[in-house]
Amino acid sequence: MPPRVRGGAAIKSLFAKHFFVYAMVIVMGFAVLGGVFMYQVNRFTAQEKLSLLDKTVTQAISSVESYATNAAAGLTGSVYIFGVEVILDPEPKLIENLTKLAVDSEGHIFVADSTGHYLYISSWEYGCRRQSQGVIPQEAVDEIIADGKYDTRASDFYGNLSGACYVQGQGIYLGGRLVAMIFAAVPPSSFLNHNLAQTFMLITMIVLFVVLIVTIVVVRGLFRPLSQMAGVARSFVRGDFSARVPL
């Protein structure tokens, strides 16, 4: 008597082989495409962040220069207009501008005097606050004094940041004299990268699920004629020669 054909086991074996091959092709293809895609996204993001950093530094310098000019001109204190006291204080506007710049760049802005002592620190998380203590790292101060700027680089700003950021600095001069320093830091990545990675993983899982369904359908379609032939063969063994395989 010929051996009994185990249709269920054969289907499972054939399904596993097909699904493994399809899944490996899909995963490898997505890995290559995903790697190229994320490389291009990170490259674009880096260029965008560096451009944003330049813009942030330029605008922060403009705000601090305006504040310093008004303070030097004595545009502080208060005046009476039509009997109403009007406070002439440029500092709130400076704090507002620095806060907005930090929020827009998702980064940090450090304002220091000509010796490197902190005047203001603005963060996208905590806003802008006046500082009475703390100093800019001496290496950064020396570079500003020597070159007038602190070239863009990726660092934690000598431990002043929680992680690596793109950092850029520049000196502020009034009447040819260094009066303040501006440093801005923006993270190298953004929430966009994180969302893209999550979206990419979700798409991969959906595609693998579709591959699973397609594999089940294909394997069953391939195995159905074999199952029918095996059933006819068992009928022949039992002496029933009337069984036929439908075409």
Side-chain angles (χ1 to χ4, degrees):
M1 180 180 292
R4 181 178 178 83
V5 178
R6 300 183 181 275
I11 290 178
K12 291 180 181 179
S13 176
L14 191 61
F15 165 76
K17 291 178 182 178
H18 278 74
F19 178 72
F20 177 77
V21 172
Y22 295 158
M24 286 300 297
V25 171
I26 293 295
V27 169
M28 291 178 64
F30 264 75
V32 173
L33 292 176
V36 173
F37 176 71
M38 291 306 296
Y39 169 77
Q40 293 296 336
V41 168
N42 288 331
R43 183 179 177 184
F44 171 78
T45 302
Q47 293 175 345
E48 183 183 34
K49 287 290 184 177
L50 292 176
S51 176
L52 178 62
L53 183 60
D54 288 337
K55 181 180 177 181
T56 300
V57 171
T58 300
Q59 292 182 343
I61 289 174
S62 177
S63 295
V64 174
E65 284 180 341
S66 177
Y67 169 75
T69 300
N70 290 335
L75 298 179
T76 59
S78 63
V79 296
Y80 285 88
I81 301 178
F82 300 114
V84 179
E85 184 180 18
V86 177
I87 304 299
L88 299 178
D89 186 359
E91 186 177 47
K93 185 62 176 178
L94 172 65
I95 291 177
E96 178 185 343
N97 290 341
L98 293 179
T99 299
K100 185 177 186 303
L101 288 173
V103 171
D104 290 346
S105 64
E106 297 179 2
H108 308 270
I109 299 173
F110 305 94
V111 181
D113 62 18
S114 59
T115 62
H117 288 81
Y118 284 124
L119 297 175
Y120 300 92
I121 294 180
S122 183
S123 167
W124 71 277
E125 295 176 296
Y126 308 113
C128 181
R129 299 177 182 177
R130 173 180 271 278
Q131 303 295 311
S132 59
Q133 58 184 0
V135 294
I136 296 290
Q138 190 59 46
E139 294 89 340
V141 173
D142 291 341
E143 190 167 333
I144 290 287
I145 293 175
D147 303 327
K149 62 180 181 177
Y150 181 82
D151 289 330
T152 304
R153 66 200 67 178
S155 72
D156 62 357
F157 200 42
Y158 306 98
N160 284 267
L161 300 170
S162 58
C165 292
Y166 292 124
V167 183
Q168 180 178 315
Q170 192 166 328
I172 298 178
Y173 297 84
L174 291 179
R177 183 173 61 90
L178 178 66
V179 296
M181 304 177 183
I182 292 284
F183 294 87
V186 297
S189 62
S190 66
F191 294 116
L192 172 65
N193 298 58
H194 181 66
N195 291 336
L196 283 175
Q198 287 185 331
T199 303
F200 182 77
M201 290 299 297
L202 178 61
I203 292 175
T204 302
M205 296 302 295
I206 292 175
V207 170
L208 287 177
F209 178 74
V210 173
V211 169
L212 174 65
I213 300 301
V214 171
T215 303
I216 292 175
V217 174
V218 170
V219 169
R220 284 185 174 178
L222 291 174
F223 206 84
R224 185 176 296 111
L226 298 178
S227 297
Q228 293 171 343
M229 292 177 64
V232 171
R234 287 194 293 270
S235 297
F236 286 173
V237 170
R238 293 192 300 268
D240 180 9
F241 298 100
S242 63
R244 296 290 185 271
V245 177
L247 299 177

